[in-house]
Tab-separated table of all heavy atoms in Angstrom:
chain	number	residue	atom	x	y	z
A	1	LEU	N	-21.409	-38.140	8.670
A	1	LEU	CA	-22.485	-38.776	7.991
A	1	LEU	C	-23.084	-39.852	8.897
A	1	LEU	O	-24.446	-39.985	8.972
A	1	LEU	CB	-22.033	-39.367	6.701
A	1	LEU	CG	-23.015	-39.410	5.603
A	1	LEU	CD1	-23.370	-38.008	5.147
A	1	LEU	CD2	-22.414	-40.139	4.396
A	2	LEU	N	-22.340	-40.661	9.627
A	2	LEU	CA	-22.879	-41.639	10.503
A	2	LEU	C	-23.660	-41.059	11.676
A	2	LEU	O	-24.588	-41.706	12.188
A	2	LEU	CB	-21.713	-42.558	10.954
A	2	LEU	CG	-21.072	-43.371	9.949
A	2	LEU	CD1	-19.797	-44.169	10.478
A	2	LEU	CD2	-22.119	-44.420	9.386
A	3	CYS	N	-23.230	-39.945	12.141
A	3	CYS	CA	-23.981	-39.193	13.234
A	3	CYS	C	-25.293	-38.588	12.696
A	3	CYS	O	-26.317	-38.797	13.413
A	3	CYS	CB	-23.165	-38.140	13.942
A	3	CYS	SG	-21.753	-38.637	14.919
A	4	ILE	N	-25.277	-38.066	11.438
A	4	ILE	CA	-26.354	-37.557	10.910
A	4	ILE	C	-27.423	-38.796	10.672
A	4	ILE	O	-28.583	-38.513	10.714
A	4	ILE	CB	-26.156	-36.886	9.610
A	4	ILE	CG1	-25.327	-35.584	9.850
A	4	ILE	CG2	-27.408	-36.452	8.861
A	4	ILE	CD1	-24.864	-34.867	8.661
A	5	SER	N	-26.872	-39.833	10.287
A	5	SER	CA	-27.827	-41.008	9.951
A	5	SER	C	-28.307	-41.782	11.190
A	5	SER	O	-29.015	-42.712	11.074
A	5	SER	CB	-27.026	-42.044	9.074
A	5	SER	OG	-25.940	-42.532	9.732
A	6	LEU	N	-27.893	-41.352	12.343
A	6	LEU	CA	-28.383	-41.838	13.644
A	6	LEU	C	-27.754	-43.201	13.858
A	6	LEU	O	-28.309	-44.011	14.689
A	6	LEU	CB	-29.816	-41.854	13.813
A	6	LEU	CG	-30.575	-40.602	13.328
A	6	LEU	CD1	-32.055	-40.665	13.631
A	6	LEU	CD2	-30.012	-39.345	14.084
A	7	ILE	N	-26.696	-43.622	13.200
A	7	ILE	CA	-26.037	-44.783	13.341
A	7	ILE	C	-24.965	-44.711	14.399
A	7	ILE	O	-24.843	-45.719	15.258
A	7	ILE	CB	-25.365	-45.249	12.047
A	7	ILE	CG1	-26.427	-45.651	10.934
A	7	ILE	CG2	-24.405	-46.451	12.324
A	7	ILE	CD1	-25.856	-45.946	9.562
A	8	LEU	N	-24.369	-43.615	14.421
A	8	LEU	CA	-23.288	-43.444	15.454
A	8	LEU	C	-23.700	-42.385	16.506
A	8	LEU	O	-24.235	-41.260	16.123
A	8	LEU	CB	-21.995	-42.854	14.750
A	8	LEU	CG	-20.714	-42.819	15.509
A	8	LEU	CD1	-20.232	-44.154	16.130
A	8	LEU	CD2	-19.615	-42.134	14.687
A	9	ASP	N	-23.405	-42.671	17.835
A	9	ASP	CA	-23.849	-41.691	18.873
A	9	ASP	C	-22.864	-40.538	18.899
A	9	ASP	O	-21.603	-40.743	19.026
A	9	ASP	CB	-23.776	-42.387	20.223
A	9	ASP	CG	-24.795	-43.502	20.462
A	9	ASP	OD1	-25.429	-43.788	19.424
A	9	ASP	OD2	-24.976	-43.939	21.614
A	10	PRO	N	-23.339	-39.282	18.772
A	10	PRO	CA	-22.450	-38.189	18.920
A	10	PRO	C	-21.967	-38.137	20.438
A	10	PRO	O	-22.570	-38.756	21.305
A	10	PRO	CB	-23.353	-36.931	18.636
A	10	PRO	CG	-24.521	-37.482	17.921
A	10	PRO	CD	-24.725	-38.869	18.389
A	11	THR	N	-21.026	-37.258	20.644
A	11	THR	CA	-20.612	-36.997	22.063
A	11	THR	C	-21.311	-35.858	22.710
A	11	THR	O	-21.598	-35.798	23.904
A	11	THR	CB	-19.032	-36.769	22.082
A	11	THR	OG1	-18.437	-37.938	21.559
A	11	THR	CG2	-18.571	-36.666	23.514
A	12	GLY	N	-21.608	-34.930	21.818
A	12	GLY	CA	-22.306	-33.659	22.342
A	12	GLY	C	-22.837	-32.903	21.215
A	12	GLY	O	-22.674	-33.164	19.951
A	13	GLY	N	-23.669	-31.859	21.513
A	13	GLY	CA	-24.345	-31.048	20.531
A	13	GLY	C	-25.832	-31.341	20.406
A	13	GLY	O	-26.447	-31.868	21.374
A	14	LYS	N	-26.378	-30.887	19.249
A	14	LYS	CA	-27.851	-31.203	19.078
A	14	LYS	C	-28.079	-31.551	17.694
A	14	LYS	O	-27.507	-30.899	16.623
A	14	LYS	CB	-28.636	-29.880	19.412
A	14	LYS	CG	-30.172	-29.860	19.358
A	14	LYS	CD	-30.638	-28.555	19.884
A	14	LYS	CE	-32.185	-28.626	19.882
A	14	LYS	NZ	-32.705	-27.360	20.359
A	15	ILE	N	-28.979	-32.484	17.469
A	15	ILE	CA	-29.583	-32.856	15.979
A	15	ILE	C	-31.037	-32.680	16.067
A	15	ILE	O	-31.749	-33.258	16.946
A	15	ILE	CB	-29.176	-34.216	15.649
A	15	ILE	CG1	-27.642	-34.434	15.783
A	15	ILE	CG2	-29.709	-34.562	14.311
A	15	ILE	CD1	-27.286	-35.824	15.458
A	16	VAL	N	-31.577	-31.843	15.163
A	16	VAL	CA	-33.006	-31.744	14.886
A	16	VAL	C	-33.275	-32.162	13.492
A	16	VAL	O	-32.614	-31.686	12.532
A	16	VAL	CB	-33.479	-30.242	15.108
A	16	VAL	CG1	-35.036	-30.103	14.860
A	16	VAL	CG2	-33.132	-29.768	16.494
A	17	PHE	N	-34.260	-33.171	13.438
A	17	PHE	CA	-34.496	-33.833	12.144
A	17	PHE	C	-36.046	-33.794	11.961
A	17	PHE	O	-36.757	-34.192	12.856
A	17	PHE	CB	-33.993	-35.233	12.007
A	17	PHE	CG	-34.433	-35.965	10.876
A	17	PHE	CD1	-33.943	-35.383	9.485
A	17	PHE	CD2	-35.145	-37.084	10.843
A	17	PHE	CE1	-34.317	-36.092	8.348
A	17	PHE	CE2	-35.462	-37.747	9.583
A	17	PHE	CZ	-35.109	-37.191	8.456
A	18	ASP	N	-36.434	-33.143	10.816
A	18	ASP	CA	-37.967	-33.120	10.507
A	18	ASP	C	-38.625	-32.524	11.684
A	18	ASP	O	-39.816	-32.989	12.171
A	18	ASP	CB	-38.432	-34.549	10.224
A	18	ASP	CG	-39.711	-34.533	9.414
A	18	ASP	OD1	-40.043	-33.461	8.810
A	18	ASP	OD2	-40.394	-35.447	9.407
A	19	ASN	N	-38.170	-31.411	12.225
A	19	ASN	CA	-38.852	-30.666	13.301
A	19	ASN	C	-38.835	-31.422	14.652
A	19	ASN	O	-39.611	-31.016	15.561
A	19	ASN	CB	-40.237	-30.137	12.899
A	19	ASN	CG	-40.168	-29.223	11.688
A	19	ASN	OD1	-39.325	-28.293	11.718
A	19	ASN	ND2	-41.040	-29.363	10.737
A	20	GLN	N	-38.037	-32.335	14.843
A	20	GLN	CA	-38.093	-33.163	16.053
A	20	GLN	C	-36.594	-33.333	16.493
A	20	GLN	O	-35.684	-33.601	15.787
A	20	GLN	CB	-38.583	-34.613	15.790
A	20	GLN	CG	-38.561	-35.533	17.058
A	20	GLN	CD	-39.270	-36.764	16.719
A	20	GLN	OE1	-39.318	-37.260	15.532
A	20	GLN	NE2	-39.821	-37.409	17.790
A	21	THR	N	-36.426	-32.881	17.753
A	21	THR	CA	-35.096	-33.051	18.366
A	21	THR	C	-34.755	-34.494	18.698
A	21	THR	O	-35.586	-35.299	19.301
A	21	THR	CB	-35.012	-32.301	19.841
A	21	THR	OG1	-35.365	-30.951	19.662
A	21	THR	CG2	-33.650	-32.420	20.398
A	22	ILE	N	-33.717	-34.921	17.991
A	22	ILE	CA	-33.308	-36.344	18.032
A	22	ILE	C	-32.208	-36.600	19.055
A	22	ILE	O	-32.211	-37.545	19.695
A	22	ILE	CB	-32.899	-36.804	16.639
A	22	ILE	CG1	-33.853	-36.502	15.541
A	22	ILE	CG2	-32.478	-38.197	16.575
A	22	ILE	CD1	-35.163	-37.140	15.802
A	23	PHE	N	-31.258	-35.679	19.070
A	23	PHE	CA	-30.085	-35.792	20.016
A	23	PHE	C	-29.933	-34.365	20.669
A	23	PHE	O	-29.951	-33.361	20.010
A	23	PHE	CB	-28.898	-36.235	19.285
A	23	PHE	CG	-27.681	-36.527	20.208
A	23	PHE	CD1	-27.403	-37.804	20.747
A	23	PHE	CD2	-26.830	-35.412	20.551
A	23	PHE	CE1	-26.325	-38.015	21.590
A	23	PHE	CE2	-25.749	-35.697	21.338
A	23	PHE	CZ	-25.604	-36.923	21.845
A	24	GLN	N	-29.645	-34.472	22.007
A	24	GLN	CA	-29.349	-33.133	22.755
A	24	GLN	C	-28.396	-33.470	23.745
A	24	GLN	O	-28.537	-34.372	24.561
A	24	GLN	CB	-30.655	-32.657	23.188
A	24	GLN	CG	-30.506	-31.187	23.756
A	24	GLN	CD	-31.864	-30.450	23.805
A	24	GLN	OE1	-32.962	-31.135	23.877
A	24	GLN	NE2	-31.937	-29.169	23.889
A	25	LYS	N	-27.352	-32.603	23.849
A	25	LYS	CA	-26.254	-32.565	24.787
A	25	LYS	C	-25.482	-33.866	24.798
A	25	LYS	O	-24.494	-34.013	24.165
A	25	LYS	CB	-26.827	-32.317	26.241
A	25	LYS	CG	-27.282	-30.904	26.312
A	25	LYS	CD	-27.667	-30.529	27.689
A	25	LYS	CE	-28.179	-29.185	27.783
A	25	LYS	NZ	-28.668	-28.823	29.173
A	26	ASN	N	-25.957	-34.985	25.482
A	26	ASN	CA	-25.159	-36.165	25.468
A	26	ASN	C	-26.064	-37.470	25.400
A	26	ASN	O	-25.713	-38.472	25.962
A	26	ASN	CB	-24.331	-36.202	26.853
A	26	ASN	CG	-25.171	-36.144	28.041
A	26	ASN	OD1	-26.439	-36.046	27.991
A	26	ASN	ND2	-24.591	-36.256	29.257
A	27	GLY	N	-27.110	-37.321	24.630
A	27	GLY	CA	-27.972	-38.509	24.612
A	27	GLY	C	-29.176	-38.365	23.612
A	27	GLY	O	-29.568	-37.313	23.337
A	28	TRP	N	-29.674	-39.452	23.196
A	28	TRP	CA	-30.893	-39.497	22.321
A	28	TRP	C	-32.090	-38.938	23.111
A	28	TRP	O	-32.283	-39.286	24.336
A	28	TRP	CB	-31.207	-40.882	21.708
A	28	TRP	CG	-29.982	-41.384	21.018
A	28	TRP	CD1	-29.161	-42.394	21.272
A	28	TRP	CD2	-29.506	-40.932	19.728
A	28	TRP	NE1	-28.170	-42.604	20.387
A	28	TRP	CE2	-28.405	-41.694	19.380
A	28	TRP	CE3	-29.910	-39.905	18.839
A	28	TRP	CZ2	-27.758	-41.664	18.161
A	28	TRP	CZ3	-29.176	-39.825	17.615
A	28	TRP	CH2	-28.084	-40.556	17.311
A	29	ALA	N	-32.860	-38.157	22.469
A	29	ALA	CA	-33.953	-37.401	23.202
A	29	ALA	C	-35.246	-38.203	23.264
A	29	ALA	O	-36.342	-37.782	22.850
A	29	ALA	CB	-34.219	-36.145	22.395
A	30	GLY	N	-35.212	-39.428	23.768
A	30	GLY	CA	-36.409	-40.222	23.954
A	30	GLY	C	-37.189	-40.673	22.722
A	30	GLY	O	-38.366	-40.750	22.691
A	31	VAL	N	-36.318	-40.764	21.568
A	31	VAL	CA	-37.089	-41.166	20.321
A	31	VAL	C	-36.703	-42.511	19.830
A	31	VAL	O	-35.491	-42.970	20.229
A	31	VAL	CB	-36.822	-40.107	19.205
A	31	VAL	CG1	-37.306	-38.703	19.663
A	31	VAL	CG2	-35.281	-39.991	19.004
A	32	ASP	N	-37.431	-43.232	19.033
A	32	ASP	CA	-37.007	-44.438	18.441
A	32	ASP	C	-36.143	-44.239	17.195
A	32	ASP	O	-36.630	-43.962	16.061
A	32	ASP	CB	-38.297	-45.220	18.031
A	32	ASP	CG	-38.099	-46.659	17.595
A	32	ASP	OD1	-36.861	-46.940	17.274
A	32	ASP	OD2	-39.023	-47.447	17.481
A	33	VAL	N	-34.854	-44.052	17.387
A	33	VAL	CA	-33.890	-43.806	16.376
A	33	VAL	C	-34.039	-44.853	15.215
A	33	VAL	O	-33.786	-44.490	13.999
A	33	VAL	CB	-32.546	-43.523	16.714
A	33	VAL	CG1	-32.453	-42.377	17.684
A	33	VAL	CG2	-31.938	-44.765	17.518
A	34	ARG	N	-34.198	-46.040	15.570
A	34	ARG	CA	-34.197	-47.127	14.528
A	34	ARG	C	-35.458	-46.924	13.566
A	34	ARG	O	-35.366	-47.039	12.339
A	34	ARG	CB	-34.212	-48.479	15.140
A	34	ARG	CG	-33.066	-48.913	15.866
A	34	ARG	CD	-33.188	-50.287	16.481
A	34	ARG	NE	-31.951	-50.707	17.145
A	34	ARG	CZ	-31.744	-51.833	17.759
A	34	ARG	NH1	-32.834	-52.742	17.746
A	34	ARG	NH2	-30.730	-52.200	18.350
A	35	ARG	N	-36.587	-46.526	14.136
A	35	ARG	CA	-37.732	-46.201	13.317
A	35	ARG	C	-37.571	-45.131	12.446
A	35	ARG	O	-37.845	-45.083	11.207
A	35	ARG	CB	-38.884	-46.112	14.213
A	35	ARG	CG	-40.239	-45.801	13.426
A	35	ARG	CD	-41.364	-45.455	14.346
A	35	ARG	NE	-41.187	-44.202	14.998
A	35	ARG	CZ	-41.271	-42.989	14.416
A	35	ARG	NH1	-41.664	-42.810	13.245
A	35	ARG	NH2	-41.029	-41.774	15.104
A	36	ILE	N	-36.989	-44.023	12.943
A	36	ILE	CA	-36.754	-42.799	12.097
A	36	ILE	C	-35.749	-43.114	11.006
A	36	ILE	O	-36.018	-42.782	9.766
A	36	ILE	CB	-36.164	-41.723	13.000
A	36	ILE	CG1	-37.214	-41.231	13.990
A	36	ILE	CG2	-35.653	-40.520	12.208
A	36	ILE	CD1	-36.617	-40.254	15.010
A	37	ARG	N	-34.712	-43.930	11.427
A	37	ARG	CA	-33.767	-44.211	10.349
A	37	ARG	C	-34.372	-45.171	9.277
A	37	ARG	O	-34.077	-45.030	8.047
A	37	ARG	CB	-32.584	-44.934	11.025
A	37	ARG	CG	-31.329	-45.244	10.073
A	37	ARG	CD	-30.130	-45.679	11.030
A	37	ARG	NE	-30.363	-46.950	11.682
A	37	ARG	CZ	-30.137	-47.052	12.943
A	37	ARG	NH1	-29.807	-45.992	13.707
A	37	ARG	NH2	-30.417	-48.181	13.523
A	38	ARG	N	-35.200	-46.142	9.728
A	38	ARG	CA	-35.868	-47.027	8.760
A	38	ARG	C	-36.889	-46.311	7.813
A	38	ARG	O	-37.006	-46.748	6.750
A	38	ARG	CB	-36.535	-48.191	9.612
A	38	ARG	CG	-37.181	-49.323	8.834
A	38	ARG	CD	-37.596	-50.389	9.803
A	38	ARG	NE	-38.695	-49.916	10.634
A	38	ARG	CZ	-38.525	-49.901	11.997
A	38	ARG	NH1	-37.470	-50.327	12.612
A	38	ARG	NH2	-39.624	-49.539	12.685
A	39	GLU	N	-37.646	-45.294	8.414
A	39	GLU	CA	-38.724	-44.708	7.722
A	39	GLU	C	-38.405	-43.435	7.032
A	39	GLU	O	-39.082	-43.080	6.051
A	39	GLU	CB	-39.883	-44.568	8.622
A	39	GLU	CG	-40.443	-45.885	9.253
A	39	GLU	CD	-41.532	-45.626	10.150
A	39	GLU	OE1	-41.928	-44.475	10.466
A	39	GLU	OE2	-42.089	-46.568	10.742
A	40	LYS	N	-37.335	-42.691	7.463
A	40	LYS	CA	-37.116	-41.416	6.813
A	40	LYS	C	-35.858	-41.105	6.264
A	40	LYS	O	-35.642	-40.012	5.691
A	40	LYS	CB	-37.380	-40.372	8.056
A	40	LYS	CG	-38.808	-40.356	8.571
A	40	LYS	CD	-39.025	-39.239	9.554
A	40	LYS	CE	-40.563	-39.202	10.033
A	40	LYS	NZ	-40.696	-38.013	10.998
A	41	ILE	N	-34.811	-42.015	6.463
A	41	ILE	CA	-33.445	-41.755	5.945
A	41	ILE	C	-32.922	-42.877	5.035
A	41	ILE	O	-33.185	-44.063	5.274
A	41	ILE	CB	-32.459	-41.793	7.213
A	41	ILE	CG1	-32.827	-40.506	8.143
A	41	ILE	CG2	-31.116	-41.538	6.766
A	41	ILE	CD1	-32.018	-40.482	9.415
A	42	GLY	N	-32.374	-42.524	3.949
A	42	GLY	CA	-31.831	-43.446	3.043
A	42	GLY	C	-30.274	-43.277	2.958
A	42	GLY	O	-29.770	-42.185	2.918
A	43	PHE	N	-29.624	-44.427	3.014
A	43	PHE	CA	-28.115	-44.410	3.077
A	43	PHE	C	-27.602	-45.097	1.865
A	43	PHE	O	-27.916	-46.271	1.613
A	43	PHE	CB	-27.695	-45.077	4.285
A	43	PHE	CG	-26.253	-44.543	4.663
A	43	PHE	CD1	-26.108	-43.699	5.832
A	43	PHE	CD2	-25.170	-44.911	4.106
A	43	PHE	CE1	-24.858	-43.217	6.310
A	43	PHE	CE2	-23.954	-44.483	4.427
A	43	PHE	CZ	-23.786	-43.680	5.626
A	44	ILE	N	-26.662	-44.512	1.129
A	44	ILE	CA	-25.989	-45.073	-0.104
A	44	ILE	C	-24.501	-45.259	0.320
A	44	ILE	O	-23.838	-44.332	0.627
A	44	ILE	CB	-26.158	-44.231	-1.305
A	44	ILE	CG1	-27.605	-43.847	-1.682
A	44	ILE	CG2	-25.407	-44.703	-2.356
A	44	ILE	CD1	-27.775	-42.711	-2.618
A	45	PHE	N	-24.133	-46.516	0.276
A	45	PHE	CA	-22.817	-46.828	0.779
A	45	PHE	C	-21.763	-46.834	-0.407
A	45	PHE	O	-22.122	-46.942	-1.545
A	45	PHE	CB	-22.795	-48.124	1.413
A	45	PHE	CG	-23.577	-48.367	2.624
A	45	PHE	CD1	-24.956	-48.790	2.521
A	45	PHE	CD2	-23.054	-48.061	3.931
A	45	PHE	CE1	-25.707	-48.845	3.707
A	45	PHE	CE2	-23.810	-48.255	4.931
A	45	PHE	CZ	-25.167	-48.675	4.874
A	46	GLN	N	-20.505	-46.524	0.003
A	46	GLN	CA	-19.478	-46.568	-1.155
A	46	GLN	C	-19.404	-47.850	-1.826
A	46	GLN	O	-19.108	-47.877	-3.096
A	46	GLN	CB	-18.146	-46.203	-0.345
A	46	GLN	CG	-16.930	-46.267	-1.246
A	46	GLN	CD	-15.710	-45.839	-0.540
A	46	GLN	OE1	-15.670	-45.263	0.365
A	46	GLN	NE2	-14.440	-46.297	-1.025
């Protein structure tokens, strides 16, 4: 969940969110993850 929410860096693989590649192989794909998290993702904590 933390990787999906762009809070935690994955080690490998690919994340595509809203038709935009966010993470690929071993790094963020040149996107503003804080803006995406702030504007497009809602997180409900335990």
Side-chain angles (χ1 to χ4, degrees):
L1 212 64
L2 291 173
C3 287
I4 293 172
S5 65
L6 315 182
I7 292 173
L8 187 63
D9 293 12
T11 302
K14 185 176 183 179
I15 300 175
V16 179
F17 176 61
D18 199 18
N19 295 316
Q20 183 177 20
T21 298
I22 305 299
F23 184 92
Q24 193 160 16
K25 293 184 179 178
N26 59 356
W28 301 109
V31 295
D32 186 344
V33 295
R34 290 183 180 178
R35 182 187 62 78
I36 293 171
R37 192 166 61 235
R38 185 171 63 242
E39 296 180 1
K40 296 185 177 183
I41 298 174
F43 204 109
I44 302 165
F45 298 89
Q46 177 178 334

